[in-house]
Amino acid sequence: MVEDTTAPQIEEYLRASDQAFATWSQTPAAERADVLDVVADALDAAGETLIPVAMRETNLPEARLTGELKRTTFQLRLFGQVLREGTWYDARIDHADADWPMGAPRPDLRRTHIPLGPILVFSASNFPFAFSVAGGDTASALAGGNSVIVKAHSGHLELSALTGEVINKALAEAGAPEGLFHVVFGTEAGKSALLDSRVKGSGFTGSIPGGRALFDLANSRPEPIPFYGELGSNNPVFVTQQAAKLRGESIASEFIGSFTMGAGQFCTKPGTLFIPRNSGMREALATAALPQGAKLLNSRIQSGYVEVLEALSGHAATEVLVQGSDPLADPPSPTLLVTSIEDLLADPNALQAECFGPTAMVVEYDDEAQLVAAASTFEGQLTATLQAEESDDVAQLVRVVASKAGRVLWNQWPTGVSVTYAQQHGGPYPATTAAGSTSVGTAAIARFVRPVAFQNFPQHLLPAELQDANPLSNPRLVDGRPVS
Amino acid sequence: MVEDTTAPQIEEYLRASDQAFATWSQTPAAERADVLDVVADALDAAGETLIPVAMRETNLPEARLTGELKRTTFQLRLFGQVLREGTWYDARIDHADADWPMGAPRPDLRRTHIPLGPILVFSASNFPFAFSVAGGDTASALAGGNSVIVKAHSGHLELSALTGEVINKALAEAGAPEGLFHVVFGTEAGKSALLDSRVKGSGFTGSIPGGRALFDLANSRPEPIPFYGELGSNNPVFVTQQAAKLRGESIASEFIGSFTMGAGQFCTKPGTLFIPRNSGMREALATAALPQGAKLLNSRIQSGYVEVLEALSGHAATEVLVQGSDPLADPPSPTLLVTSIEDLLADPNALQAECFGPTAMVVEYDDEAQLVAAASTFEGQLTATLQAEESDDVAQLVRVVASKAGRVLWNQWPTGVSVTYAQQHGGPYPATTAAGSTSVGTAAIARFVRPVAFQNFPQHLLPAELQDANPLSNPRLVDGRPVS
């Protein structure tokens, strides 16, 4: 039993977090990288303690959690590598130029990025490691030089507390400032921290209503702060006529694998599959073997899932294409619904609702031009996927889905978000509250830093990444030209 | 007399803007650059028409407006150069890697930036060219591939209409899509456009209350949009003991030149000057020749100025250090007030209020340690300035002011914001509503684009900047390493 954090405790944590920030923000990036490595090692070493607790609290299987922990510690080390390599500074140096054609001399200007302050992270239910206490928001905020307070998700409180202990022990061993990292518990604790003037930014992964409420709260402050919320996504998949003809059966089986992976509890779960009518794909899907049902993360997710599934399957325009024996039971067996593109276009809001769990919607179309029309009706998405052939004329469809989504896939599946330099896990609202950012990949560090320019400064008072001698050997934009 | 834009006109503009976006966003960046050049040439050519109207509407002198127009067209061309050069894409290519140490193979991922959609620009009163219809927000939004609707400032309506005509004629000549650019008039026109779902982002330069109201409106939408507001700033200047001793008189006279420049109507006007007590600087300031008063931009600014000046000079802790003969008249002669650092720390909110016009506050201190304490009390700032010597021990002061401001200056003055690659014109709230962005300099384009990643895409469907052949020769991050 983990108790809610009390108001006096939160006050003490905020004070400590603010104080730790003063030291951590001035710690050289390479030293911060070393600290992240120590934390990653400690988490790897604690796997045998943490994973059984995660299994018990989240119903997720051991293999999945083992892989997720590996991904989580890889992510911490990758941000360390980012810190050592230095592109994240986006360091820019303009030398003074008396003949600058603006009409006035250009002063010596040098721009880098500095951390924001204490960052409040609202962790997710569905990735108890990778998007939770030691997850991407924490890793990128710490990397950027911020202190971090994580509001634990109610779905895995004990794991959150244990993970926090592992992190804090490692931070202490690595010589990080005391108070750099805290975990708090309870809805009120999260809200009161979000409203505290010492908190300078926030990350969130969760539902649309929950995320929107916190976004509104962050913006209601006398001093509003950036709120990076990842909320909801349907992740539509568009199958062209040719692709259906050439590989309809394998697309069908891969789709089933993707939407039922992790019991459908991924923000990138493909929720809608557009297939050509009379292509044989409907039959392939209807007769495919669905996997067994698996217990969902917790009882709140289970009841929410049943509610949305009942609404979707009760909609006049849908029918069940295939489902297991116990679609509404606990655990629920998977369900595939089917509708027509005409019906989808007639009621997009209802039929494009995200269903968090092992349900997806198949949409039959006649003409590929309809796909462009349907894609246009979607709200902002984390991902959109084309299953198509290279000779297909899909340039317009690609443009439309790119205008809706943060990541567009070609003949792959959106579940499984790789942590890389070029990853983009974001998208227009309601996929996120900040489409200009990503919560996965090395660019995620940009959320928790801001630019500052130094004008006419003496070398010894400049941050190292802006000094002429370039002691960190980091890539820079010098007088408008990249120098690496 | 320029009439308010009617609701049916706004509807028509939004429809046209949305449609033009579809074409413009797909226009190659180099072609957009050519269009920006044509617009710049047309504005340069129209100077003889525009400048007299600007003089009449804003009370600004010809030389200033001529320089400002030059800066404005330079800025348009600089964004053209940015488009041709390509760093703005922040293009990243991760090749597929079966051995990616995350624990799962890395897919081929390629990330670039795409425009947002129609952008609504609220223009400023004090720069009728550089932060108005053809200003930095318009230039950066158009450069990024967005259509633009400018809400004209009430202070220069006729100039706004004329500038809009020049731009639209040039756009048509250059072959830009019809409807790419509009100017609208009236508060209601601006608000209704901000709430329209077709508008996907907004820029603003103006007051704290006005900007906050629009920021709140943008966030109240069912689909919130990024609102880049530049609001208010005091721009404190800290003079060390040594600097006062060595160059007190010249600092005093430069300060007077800076805070009275443009009749004190710059967002970067230095509003507070910290000087050592008994250093002779007080006397130098008190006996300095103040410039003549100059008419402020308009009657609303004049009455607002008088109100704030009366509040500041009526404050029990302030006295007049020096002022011209008609401090409250129209035009107002400049005023320098003085207070002590103890009084400032006792009532920072009142004594750090921005006074838009030719007034500034001198603050006397005894000990340089007090400067750190005083700097800590400031809200977010566009700039902060040190007048100091290289042997001064000011590292801590630099850290504190950098944590408060977007730009930190050393022995120069904040007025006069150069348009460059490394410029940062922004800062924590209330200096701006988005401290992670800049409204001046080439990085300003980042406000109106967002990242999108393409996974496993065939070459011919990728944007040019992400293709293996790199047909645009733009710099990229390839497998985590900069390649230029």
Side-chain angles (χ1 to χ4, degrees):
Chain A
M1 176 68 193
V2 180
E3 310 231 327
D4 282 5
T5 310
T6 65
Q9 280 171 328
I10 291 168
E11 171 58 29
E12 169 53 24
Y13 292 174
L14 286 165
R15 193 201 56 71
S17 192
D18 201 35
Q19 200 171 318
F21 172 72
T23 306
W24 184 243
S25 61
Q26 299 302 322
T27 303
E31 291 178 32
R32 297 204 300 263
D34 294 340
V35 172
L36 293 180
D37 283 348
V38 173
V39 172
D41 293 345
L43 287 164
D44 276 337
E48 284 183 25
T49 311
L50 299 176
I51 287 170
V53 179
M55 290 170 66
R56 173 164 49 76
E57 287 194 315
T58 67
N59 299 319
L60 293 171
E62 181 172 5
R64 147 73 194 271
L65 290 165
T66 304
E68 191 187 323
L69 181 57
K70 180 168 183 180
R71 171 208 173 101
T72 304
T73 58
F74 165 77
Q75 187 165 251
L76 284 157
R77 293 189 189 97
L78 184 63
F79 277 109
Q81 185 187 316
V82 166
L83 291 179
R84 293 185 187 103
E85 189 264 337
T87 52
W88 74 279
Y89 289 119
D90 186 17
R92 299 172 176 221
I93 296 178
D94 292 335
H95 295 100
D97 181 351
D99 300 321
W100 188 232
M102 189 180 107
R106 182 175 81 182
D108 184 283
L109 275 166
R110 299 170 188 235
R111 184 182 195 257
T112 184
H113 282 75
I114 62 172
L116 302 181
I119 301 298
L120 178 64
V121 172
F122 290 86
S123 64
S125 63
N126 59 339
F127 280 89
F129 292 117
F131 287 80
S132 189
V133 174
D137 288 357
T138 294
S140 54
L142 285 177
N146 306 279
S147 51
V148 171
I149 296 172
V150 176
K151 188 272 178 188
H153 195 280
S154 59
H156 49 273
L157 293 172
E158 197 182 323
L159 177 67
S160 298
L162 281 175
T163 308
E165 285 168 22
V166 172
I167 294 174
N168 270 319
K169 189 151 169 279
L171 289 173
E173 278 170 17
E178 207 182 320
L180 181 62
F181 184 77
H182 295 89
V183 184
V184 302
F185 301 90
T187 305
E188 284 313 307
K191 284 190 192 168
S192 69
L194 187 60
L195 289 172
D196 191 278
S197 65
R198 287 164 290 197
V199 168
K200 297 301 185 189
S202 184
F204 169 91
T205 309
S207 71
I208 295 179
R212 181 62 189 256
L214 293 172
F215 170 80
D216 290 343
L217 213 57
N219 285 319
S220 75
R221 296 167 37 130
E223 178 200 355
I225 53 171
F227 182 84
Y228 297 100
E230 186 220 297
L231 313 188
S233 189
N234 184 290
N235 307 300
V237 179
F238 302 88
V239 185
T240 64
Q241 303 271 7
Q242 273 206 90
K245 190 168 169 186
L246 291 170
R247 12 181 213 108
E249 291 213 9
S250 64
I251 292 172
S253 98
E254 288 166 20
F255 172 67
I256 288 169
S258 185
F259 94 81
T260 61
M261 184 186 289
Q265 300 170 110
F266 291 131
C267 48
T268 54
K269 179 199 81 174
T272 305
L273 181 75
F274 290 88
I275 62 168
R277 217 187 298 270
N278 304 321
S279 63
M281 276 201 71
R282 178 178 176 141
E283 293 70 27
L285 289 159
T287 57
L290 293 178
Q292 292 282 324
K295 259 190 103 59
L296 301 189
L297 290 160
N298 56 59
S299 59
R300 213 160 61 100
I301 301 244
Q302 166 74 20
S303 61
Y305 171 70
V306 168
E307 193 181 314
V308 176
L309 174 53
E310 283 182 327
L312 286 173
S313 55
H315 192 288
T318 69
E319 55 185 293
V320 171
L321 182 57
V322 55
Q323 63 188 175
S325 52
D326 301 298
L328 300 174
D330 181 1
S333 43
T335 293
L336 256 189
L337 302 170
V338 64
T339 188
S340 73
I341 199 158
E342 294 79 8
D343 285 324
L344 183 90
L345 291 171
D347 194 5
N349 285 350
L351 295 176
Q352 291 169 9
E354 184 183 7
C355 181
F356 197 77
T359 282
M361 181 82 69
V362 173
V363 180
E364 293 187 295
Y365 73 88
D366 295 294
D367 179 341
E368 283 176 9
Q370 291 174 303
L371 295 181
V372 173
S376 304
T377 66
F378 276 88
E379 292 185 292
Q381 301 292 326
L382 292 171
T383 74
T385 300
L386 271 70
Q387 293 287 342
E389 299 303 309
E390 295 212 10
S391 57
D392 278 327
D393 179 16
V394 288
Q396 197 191 351
L397 183 59
V398 170
R399 280 200 295 273
V400 172
V401 300
S403 78
K404 298 286 182 177
R407 179 166 54 115
V408 186
L409 297 93
W410 179 271
N411 292 346
Q412 291 187 347
W413 297 93
T415 40
V417 183
S418 194
V419 181
T420 82
Y421 311 102
Q423 185 56 278
Q424 173 56 25
H425 191 61
Y429 189 88
T432 76
T433 59
S437 68
T438 180
S439 61
V440 177
T442 58
I445 194 172
R447 295 174 299 168
F448 302 120
V449 295
R450 69 169 175 88
V452 62
F454 294 86
Q455 182 173 329
N456 192 42
F457 256 65
Q459 291 291 315
H460 75 282
L461 287 170
L462 283 170
E465 66 272 19
L466 296 181
Q467 293 170 10
D468 284 339
N470 197 9
L472 305 179
S473 301
N474 61 286
R476 317 198 278 198
L477 195 71
V478 179
D479 298 327
R481 295 184 194 286
V483 178
S484 53
Chain B
M1 175 67 191
V2 179
E3 311 232 325
D4 282 5
T5 309
T6 64
Q9 281 171 328
I10 291 167
E11 171 58 30
E12 168 53 24
Y13 293 174
L14 287 165
R15 193 201 55 72
S17 192
D18 200 35
Q19 199 171 319
F21 171 72
T23 306
W24 185 244
S25 61
Q26 299 301 323
T27 302
E31 291 177 31
R32 297 204 301 263
D34 294 341
V35 171
L36 293 180
D37 283 349
V38 173
V39 172
D41 292 346
L43 287 164
D44 276 338
E48 284 183 24
T49 310
L50 299 176
I51 288 170
V53 179
M55 290 170 67
R56 172 164 49 75
E57 289 193 313
T58 67
N59 299 319
L60 293 170
E62 182 171 5
R64 146 73 193 271
L65 290 165
T66 304
E68 191 187 323
L69 181 57
K70 181 168 183 180
R71 171 208 173 100
T72 305
T73 58
F74 165 77
Q75 186 163 252
L76 283 158
R77 293 188 189 97
L78 184 63
F79 278 110
Q81 186 188 316
V82 166
L83 292 180
R84 294 185 187 102
E85 189 263 338
T87 51
W88 73 280
Y89 288 119
D90 185 17
R92 300 173 176 219
I93 296 178
D94 291 335
H95 294 100
D97 182 352
D99 300 320
W100 189 232
M102 189 181 108
R106 183 175 81 183
D108 184 282
L109 275 166
R110 297 170 187 237
R111 185 180 194 257
T112 184
H113 282 76
I114 63 172
L116 301 182
I119 301 298
L120 179 64
V121 172
F122 291 86
S123 64
S125 63
N126 59 339
F127 281 90
F129 294 117
F131 287 79
S132 188
V133 174
D137 288 356
T138 294
S140 54
L142 285 177
N146 306 280
S147 51
V148 170
I149 297 172
V150 176
K151 189 273 178 185
H153 196 279
S154 59
H156 49 273
L157 293 172
E158 196 183 324
L159 177 67
S160 298
L162 282 173
T163 307
E165 286 169 21
V166 172
I167 293 174
N168 270 318
K169 189 151 169 280
L171 289 174
E173 279 170 16
E178 208 182 319
L180 182 62
F181 185 78
H182 295 89
V183 183
V184 301
F185 301 89
T187 306
E188 284 312 309
K191 283 190 193 167
S192 69
L194 187 60
L195 290 172
D196 191 278
S197 64
R198 287 163 291 198
V199 168
K200 298 300 186 189
S202 185
F204 169 92
T205 310
S207 71
I208 295 178
R212 181 63 189 255
L214 293 172
F215 169 79
D216 289 343
L217 213 56
N219 285 319
S220 76
R221 296 168 36 130
E223 179 200 354
I225 53 172
F227 181 84
Y228 297 99
E230 187 222 289
L231 312 188
S233 190
N234 184 291
N235 307 300
V237 179
F238 303 87
V239 184
T240 63
Q241 303 268 9
Q242 273 206 89
K245 190 168 171 188
L246 291 169
R247 9 181 215 108
E249 291 214 10
S250 65
I251 291 171
S253 99
E254 288 167 19
F255 171 67
I256 288 170
S258 185
F259 94 80
T260 61
M261 184 186 289
Q265 301 169 109
F266 291 131
C267 48
T268 54
K269 179 198 82 175
T272 305
L273 181 76
F274 290 87
I275 61 169
R277 217 186 299 269
N278 304 321
S279 63
M281 276 201 71
R282 178 179 176 139
E283 294 69 26
L285 288 160
T287 57
L290 293 178
Q292 291 283 323
K295 260 190 101 57
L296 301 189
L297 289 160
N298 56 58
S299 59
R300 213 160 61 100
I301 302 247
Q302 167 74 20
S303 61
Y305 171 72
V306 168
E307 192 180 315
V308 176
L309 175 52
E310 284 182 327
L312 286 173
S313 56
H315 192 287
T318 70
E319 56 185 292
V320 171
L321 182 59
V322 56
Q323 64 187 174
S325 53
D326 302 297
L328 300 174
D330 179 4
S333 43
T335 293
L336 255 189
L337 302 170
V338 65
T339 188
S340 72
I341 199 158
E342 294 80 8
D343 285 323
L344 182 90
L345 290 172
D347 193 4
N349 284 349
L351 294 175
Q352 291 169 9
E354 184 182 8
C355 182
F356 198 76
T359 281
M361 181 81 70
V362 173
V363 180
E364 293 188 295
Y365 73 89
D366 295 293
D367 179 343
E368 283 175 12
Q370 292 175 302
L371 295 181
V372 173
S376 304
T377 67
F378 276 88
E379 293 185 292
Q381 300 292 326
L382 292 171
T383 75
T385 299
L386 272 69
Q387 294 286 343
E389 299 303 309
E390 295 212 9
S391 56
D392 277 326
D393 179 15
V394 288
Q396 196 191 352
L397 183 60
V398 171
R399 280 199 295 273
V400 172
V401 299
S403 78
K404 299 285 182 176
R407 180 165 54 116
V408 187
L409 298 92
W410 179 270
N411 292 346
Q412 291 187 346
W413 297 93
T415 40
V417 184
S418 195
V419 181
T420 82
Y421 312 101
Q423 184 56 278
Q424 173 57 24
H425 190 62
Y429 189 89
T432 77
T433 59
S437 69
T438 179
S439 61
V440 177
T442 58
I445 194 172
R447 295 174 300 168
F448 302 120
V449 294
R450 69 169 175 87
V452 63
F454 294 86
Q455 182 173 328
N456 192 41
F457 255 66
Q459 291 290 314
H460 75 282
L461 286 169
L462 284 169
E465 66 272 19
L466 296 182
Q467 294 170 8
D468 285 339
N470 197 9
L472 306 178
S473 302
N474 62 285
R476 317 197 277 198
L477 195 70
V478 179
D479 298 325
R481 294 183 194 287
V483 178
S484 55

